[in-house]
């Protein structure tokens, strides 16, 4: 029996494209437990900080609504009266709304999932499939959600029982004392209970987030065939590669296409720039730039050189220096002679260097010839 994994088995880590497409379709990291904990915690903070403000506003409304004199009857204005009764409670309620809104937005922001995605609200026919619904309910996802619900109910129930157990006699006998003091005590117990339960929800969220990370990673895993297909799409078919290579070669002039195979060495950046140098002792007075290019042209030079077995070496600073200081058909600049001569000496003895394991030499480019990718020097 073969031990090789099934080709349809999702054993490969998701690619960046897979993650991006999943996020665009609405499959992002989510945690209802964290959202609930943040909203409850913001509500508890509002009760602790703005609760007396809200109670005072309600007391003023009640007192103003139940007290009136003859002038209030003679000049009664329903709209003004309604505004006067409602206005005091608007600021504390607006504060509560703002806190809960920040908590609701903060949840996806903390998880790196903030943003609107049209794919999440698009119509999905599979959501109407009863079999898919049963699978979600009775599958692994349903069991995990059931387990989280049982843990949440048990933990919050235990916290509530622990909070009220020692205060039950005082709560039962509240009517015997001062009503204002007793109500203050009830408010204190309620606020502390909400804060403790919010912290308990935070603990549940701390367990839920790793679970969601694990489940999402499992959903996004790919088969080997899917990875191969995506790689093929990214790189293109052999026909597309051949067409691209033809377009790149068309970007080179006829002179450059003839010169690159005769070049002594190709210096690269290693991807953005390429310069083809030729030096034939006894024929050339100095090294000559026979071809130079950037981006697609540089890629065409590299591929043409590779096809003709011309050595390609990566010297970013020297390549940029030659590209920005020399034209095609010109000899190199005087201050680059030593650096280029060092490279050429290595190339002329390349076979022996490879056999002996000698690495390509380190060269020094004069400061005045050091360019960035935009052609700017340090002194410009």
């Amino acid at each position: 029996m073969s031990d090789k994994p099934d080709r349809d088995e999702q054993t490969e880590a998701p690619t960046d494209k897979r993650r991006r497409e999943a996020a665009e379709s609405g499959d992002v990291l989510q945690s209802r437990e964290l959202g609930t904990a943040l909203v409850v915690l913001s509500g508890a903070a509002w009760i602790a900080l703005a609760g007396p403000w809200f109670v005072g506003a309600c007391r003023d409304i009640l007192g103003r609504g139940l007290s009136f004199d003859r002038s209030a009857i003679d000049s009664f204005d329903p709209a003004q009266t309604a505004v006067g009764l409602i206005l005091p409670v608007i600021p504390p309620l607006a504060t509560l709304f703002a806190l809960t809104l920040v908590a609701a937005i903060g949840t996806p922001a903390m998880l790196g999932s903030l943003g609107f995605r049209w794919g999440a609200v698009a119509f999905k026919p599979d959501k109407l499939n009863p079999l898919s619904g049963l699978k979600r309910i009775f599958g692994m996802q349903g069991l995990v959600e059931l387990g989280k619900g049982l843990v949440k109910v048990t933990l919050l129930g235990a916290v509530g029982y622990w909070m009220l157990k020692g205060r039950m006699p005082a709560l039962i006998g509240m009517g015997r004392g001062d009503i204002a003091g007793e109500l203050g005590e009830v408010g204190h117990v309620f606020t502390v209970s909400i804060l403790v339960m919010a912290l308990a929800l935070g603990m549940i969220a701390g367990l839920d987030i790793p679970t969601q990370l694990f489940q999402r990673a499992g959903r996004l895993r790919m088969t080997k065939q899917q990875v191969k297909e995506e790689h093929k799409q990214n790189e293109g078919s052999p026909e597309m590669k051949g067409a691209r290579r033809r377009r790149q070669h068309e970007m080179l002039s006829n002179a450059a296409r003839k010169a690159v195979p005769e070049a002594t060495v190709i210096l690269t950046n290693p991807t953005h720039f390429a310069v083809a140098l030729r030096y034939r002792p006894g024929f050339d007075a100095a090294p000559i730039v026979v071809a130079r290019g950037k981006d697609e042209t540089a890629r065409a030079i590299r591929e043409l050189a590779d096809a003709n077995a011309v050595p390609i070496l990566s010297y970013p600073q020297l390549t940029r220096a030659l590209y920005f200081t020399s034209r095609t058909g010109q000899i190199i600049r005087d201050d680059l002679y030593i650096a280029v001569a060092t490279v050429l000496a290595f190339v002329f003895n390349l076979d022996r260097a490879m056999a002996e394991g000698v690495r390509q030499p380190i060269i020094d480019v004069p400061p005045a010839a050091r360019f960035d990718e935009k052609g700017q020097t340090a002194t410009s």
Side-chain angles (χ1 to χ4, degrees):
M1 194 173 190
S2 176
D3 293 333
K4 294 183 178 179
D6 189 351
R7 63 179 298 180
D8 295 329
E9 186 177 353
Q10 294 177 316
T11 58
E12 305 302 309
T15 61
D16 292 337
K17 181 181 177 183
R18 171 85 166 184
R19 294 178 185 275
R20 184 172 60 255
E21 290 177 347
E24 291 173 353
S25 65
D27 187 355
V28 294
L29 183 61
Q30 302 179 58
S31 175
R32 288 196 296 267
E33 315 305 331
L34 179 60
T36 303
L38 289 179
V39 170
V40 173
L41 187 60
S42 64
W46 179 85
I47 292 174
L49 300 176
W53 180 17
F54 180 71
V55 171
C58 292
R59 183 176 62 247
D60 293 342
I61 291 174
L62 186 62
R64 190 179 304 174
L66 296 179
S67 61
F68 57 91
D69 53 15
R70 183 179 180 85
S71 62
I73 298 176
D74 292 339
S75 58
F76 179 68
D77 185 351
Q80 184 178 359
T81 303
V83 171
L85 292 176
I86 296 174
L87 193 60
V89 298
I90 291 179
L93 290 180
T95 304
L96 175 61
F97 175 77
L99 285 174
T100 53
L101 181 63
V102 169
I105 296 175
T107 301
M110 292 173 62
L111 298 176
S113 306
L114 184 63
F116 182 78
R117 299 167 178 86
W118 285 106
V121 297
F123 176 72
K124 298 178 181 178
D126 62 317
K127 296 291 185 180
L128 302 178
N129 188 350
L131 295 178
S132 299
L134 290 175
K135 183 178 179 180
R136 286 194 298 270
I137 295 173
F138 297 102
M140 181 58 65
Q141 177 69 21
L143 292 176
V144 171
E145 294 298 327
L146 177 61
K148 289 194 300 184
L150 292 175
V151 170
K152 183 162 57 175
V153 170
T154 303
L155 180 59
L156 295 182
V159 170
Y161 175 77
W162 173 72
M163 290 294 300
L164 295 177
K165 179 180 178 181
R167 291 181 168 86
M168 286 302 297
L171 293 175
I172 294 174
M174 280 181 55
R176 303 171 187 172
D178 177 58
I179 187 64
E182 299 293 351
L183 288 176
E185 180 63 22
V186 170
H188 174 71
V189 172
F190 180 74
T191 302
V192 173
S193 300
I194 293 295
L195 283 171
V196 174
M197 288 188 176
L199 294 176
L201 285 172
M203 295 174 56
I204 296 175
L207 299 175
D208 179 58
I209 293 175
T211 303
Q212 296 297 330
L213 284 169
F214 178 78
Q215 290 178 345
R216 185 170 185 268
R219 290 196 304 270
L220 297 184
R221 294 191 75 83
M222 305 171 66
T223 64
K224 293 183 180 296
Q225 185 62 29
Q226 288 175 327
V227 174
K228 290 180 180 178
E229 290 294 332
E230 182 175 314
H231 181 73
K232 184 177 180 181
Q233 292 175 2
N234 292 337
E235 295 297 325
S237 62
E239 293 79 8
M240 293 179 62
K241 289 181 179 179
R244 186 171 65 245
R245 188 177 295 109
R246 287 193 297 272
R247 289 195 302 269
Q248 291 170 353
H249 288 182
E250 288 171 359
M251 298 175 66
L252 295 175
S253 64
N254 291 330
R257 282 199 295 272
K258 295 178 180 178
V260 170
E262 298 176 359
T264 306
V265 65
I266 307 296
L267 302 180
T268 67
N269 188 39
T271 57
H272 295 294
F273 296 89
V275 176
L277 292 177
R278 188 194 71 197
Y279 180 66
R280 291 178 291 184
F283 181 81
D284 296 321
I288 300 174
V289 175
V290 294
R292 55 191 283 276
K294 183 179 179 182
D295 296 331
E296 293 298 325
T297 306
R299 183 180 301 174
I301 292 174
R302 292 196 307 272
E303 292 189 358
L304 186 59
D306 189 58
N308 289 273
V310 179
I312 301 175
L313 299 179
S314 176
Y315 281 102
Q317 285 189 352
L318 181 57
T319 303
R320 291 195 297 267
L322 292 168
Y323 180 87
F324 289 113
T325 61
S326 303
R327 301 295 179 186
T328 302
Q330 292 181 347
I331 63 174
I332 64 173
R333 207 165 76 170
D334 294 348
D335 57 352
L336 298 176
Y337 275 7
I338 296 178
V340 172
T342 304
V343 174
L344 290 175
F346 174 75
V347 172
F348 289 146
N349 295 279
L350 188 59
D351 292 338
R352 188 178 67 182
M354 293 180 62
E356 297 177 357
V358 178
R359 297 182 179 181
Q360 65 183 61
I362 299 174
I363 54 95
D364 183 35
V365 175
R370 295 177 183 177
F371 295 85
D372 60 15
E373 293 185 357
K374 297 181 180 179
Q376 301 294 323
T377 63
T379 58
S380 62

